[in-house]
Amino acid sequence: MIGKGAYLRQLTASTMPMKSVAMGKEIEGSTPPSVFIGSWNYPDVFAGPMVAPIHGDTTVMDMPEAWIPGNKTQEEIIGYRMNLVRGKQQVNAADLDNRLVVKLQEISLSASSLESEIAFTSTPQGQSFSEEHTPFGPSAGIERFDIAEGRWDHDLEKTFYDTDLKAADAVADLHKNGVPFSSIQKAFSVGTMGQGRGRHLVPTRWSITACDTIIGDRLLAEVRKNPVIDTLRVHEFSSLNNHYAVILMPTGWQYEWSEAFLHVLGNEELVFSDHEGTKKKTEYSPLGGCYYSCKMAVLEALAREQQQAGAIILREARKGYVPMGVFNVRENVRSAMQQPATEFEGINPALRHLSEKFTFPITRFIEEGALLRSVIRERQCRLGDFMPAAG
């Protein structure tokens, strides 16, 4: 059985080349604001800004929270990202006095797009697609980089100057104050949070999961104090060649994330699943960052509604799906949780309902999902109960 990591490497390698912005060795334009910190060779990482050869407000190019509510298509989102050119320079993660790092902090703390000029050591080339981070266009080493002065976001500025505040507390406070996740994550990645000398650069991919985990853990502490819902509910949502179903059960918090990839590469029909019970998962999930993004999105909604529930989330990625980062999961699940719930008397009728919504047989989710199987056993259901009716 192929693992999810190996499968996604095949999928990203086979992604059809998307046309990136045509350019030379210099750009005058705007950063949304946007930065990227690589993870290769940590702690000596490649860090730098991402700049579009467009003047003015480019915020939407690096604001995933706006894409799905704004009904942006997959093509539009990829178009935004392919217009972002990454500059990079190797720096040590602890060297926050580095001139480039100081500029990256200015960018990440900015409340709006910043006019930028960048010269590269060679013509930027390539593109990057990943299940963990949003795509971006060509990249090259930085020869020179300048940005205009900008106005900092008030909440981000406050945490920057509070050198007694722990980074985890800063992330949680910013989320509670309504700062967009993407803004929190970028500021976290460039070392603008934390206590004194403990601040350092955090690779973008790591910082996304770190922020999802920090926020999710704080929300879970709140949710555990809430009353348990009194009926089984299902929230659904479809976008970007994915269909999601969030099953909320009248139990204390427990969680399972199952995702199916259906004929995305060819004829493959793969399901990957991971779960946790009442105790927090201690090892990193083999399903990667999306496990934590989904968990955070569900807990966010439960905390908002002052309720507690067990959660089983099913995802079906269909033909045409392109890996674009864990925002895809976080924002789709957030959107699902904002849809009116359909209520059911139990897991049996809920799964019968979902068997008509998914192309993939629900029985395959049951076979792979340990928590879902456990719930079914408790209700004394059989696999055959969820097979489509004949005729």
Side-chain angles (χ1 to χ4, degrees):
M1 175 65 72
I2 187 172
K4 184 188 173 188
Y7 171 70
L8 288 177
R9 284 191 289 274
Q10 288 182 22
L11 184 54
T12 53
S14 69
T15 298
M16 291 296 291
M18 311 284 178
K19 189 173 181 181
S20 299
V21 60
M23 55 168 304
K25 291 174 63 176
E26 295 188 4
I27 289 181
E28 289 187 10
S30 171
T31 178
S34 188
V35 298
F36 190 87
I37 314 295
S39 58
W40 181 80
N41 203 42
Y42 184 87
D44 295 313
V45 297
F46 283 98
M50 291 200 283
V51 180
I54 301 167
H55 292 282
D57 184 4
T58 55
T59 305
V60 70
M61 291 183 169
D62 201 19
M63 182 61 73
E65 294 85 352
W67 297 339
I68 292 173
N71 295 316
K72 303 300 180 184
T73 65
Q74 185 169 276
E75 291 69 29
E76 286 177 304
I77 294 168
I78 292 174
Y80 293 147
R81 303 302 300 178
M82 292 299 98
N83 270 283
L84 285 174
V85 183
R86 178 191 173 197
K88 54 187 180 181
Q89 179 178 306
Q90 193 167 39
V91 298
N92 185 276
D95 186 9
L96 299 189
D97 294 326
N98 179 284
R99 289 175 62 187
L100 174 64
V101 173
V102 171
K103 290 177 181 176
L104 296 182
Q105 291 185 335
E106 290 268 355
I107 291 170
S108 294
L109 295 171
S110 178
S112 59
S113 303
L114 292 175
E115 288 296 301
S116 309
E117 294 182 9
I118 186 168
F120 300 99
T121 56
S122 60
T123 302
Q125 295 182 336
Q127 54 191 225
S128 177
F129 282 83
S130 169
E131 177 73 0
E132 300 296 331
H133 63 74
T134 45
F136 54 80
S139 62
I142 297 172
E143 186 174 277
R144 173 179 49 81
F145 175 56
D146 294 301
I147 53 173
E149 287 188 16
R151 179 178 59 83
W152 286 4
D153 175 277
H154 174 72
D155 290 306
L156 295 175
E157 180 179 13
K158 187 177 178 181
T159 60
F160 175 72
Y161 284 117
D162 191 345
T163 55
D164 293 325
L165 185 66
K166 292 180 180 179
D169 292 335
V171 168
D173 290 349
L174 289 166
H175 176 261
K176 190 167 288 189
N177 289 341
V179 177
F181 180 90
S182 58
S183 298
I184 299 171
Q185 174 267 313
K186 282 180 280 191
F188 180 90
S189 74
V190 296
T192 66
M193 303 177 199
Q195 295 177 313
R197 295 181 178 275
R199 296 185 175 191
H200 55 277
L201 299 180
V202 180
T204 296
R205 181 166 62 89
W206 302 354
S207 68
I208 293 170
T209 297
C211 289
D212 272 323
T213 301
I214 290 167
I215 295 168
D217 287 349
R218 298 298 177 93
L219 290 170
L220 180 54
E222 295 178 28
V223 166
R224 287 194 191 280
K225 301 173 186 175
N226 296 336
V228 172
I229 62 174
D230 57 7
T231 185
L232 190 142
R233 308 173 188 173
V234 175
H235 298 264
E236 296 180 75
F237 190 74
S238 294
S239 81
L240 305 177
N241 299 305
N242 288 269
H243 184 68
Y244 292 81
V246 180
I247 304 170
L248 296 181
M249 304 174 293
T251 71
W253 173 258
Q254 51 185 332
Y255 166 62
E256 183 163 78
W257 165 241
S258 294
E259 47 188 339
F261 293 86
L262 184 65
H263 304 168
V264 180
L265 266 176
N267 294 319
E268 82 283 9
E269 296 183 354
L270 301 171
V271 187
F272 305 103
S273 185
D274 196 12
H275 73 284
E276 60 189 64
T278 55
K279 292 184 179 179
K280 179 186 174 183
K281 191 175 188 65
T282 53
E283 72 281 8
Y284 185 69
S285 173
L287 302 194
C290 61
Y291 179 89
Y292 304 94
S293 293
C294 176
K295 178 181 174 181
M296 189 280 277
V298 174
L299 286 167
E300 187 179 58
L302 289 173
R304 183 173 61 244
E305 296 163 8
Q306 298 184 324
Q307 295 179 325
Q308 182 178 182
I312 295 175
I313 298 86
L314 310 180
R315 171 204 193 182
E316 181 177 273
R318 299 165 176 170
K319 192 172 183 63
Y321 164 74
V322 174
M324 293 192 295
V326 297
F327 93 85
N328 202 340
V329 170
R330 184 188 309 105
E331 300 308 321
N332 271 302
V333 174
R334 277 176 161 175
S335 294
M337 293 302 294
Q338 291 171 355
Q339 306 306 310
T342 305
E343 297 189 355
F344 297 91
E345 293 182 358
I347 193 68
N348 193 334
L351 292 178
R352 278 188 172 279
H353 164 80
L354 291 176
S355 69
E356 300 175 359
K357 300 299 188 77
F358 284 90
T359 306
F360 212 60
I362 287 295
T363 51
R364 287 292 307 278
F365 284 111
I366 297 169
E367 289 166 0
E368 297 297 328
L371 179 57
L372 183 54
R373 283 200 310 276
S374 173
V375 172
I376 288 171
R377 277 199 305 271
E378 289 174 8
R379 303 300 183 271
Q380 297 183 335
C381 305
R382 297 168 299 176
L383 280 180
D385 294 338
F386 314 110
M387 299 294 287

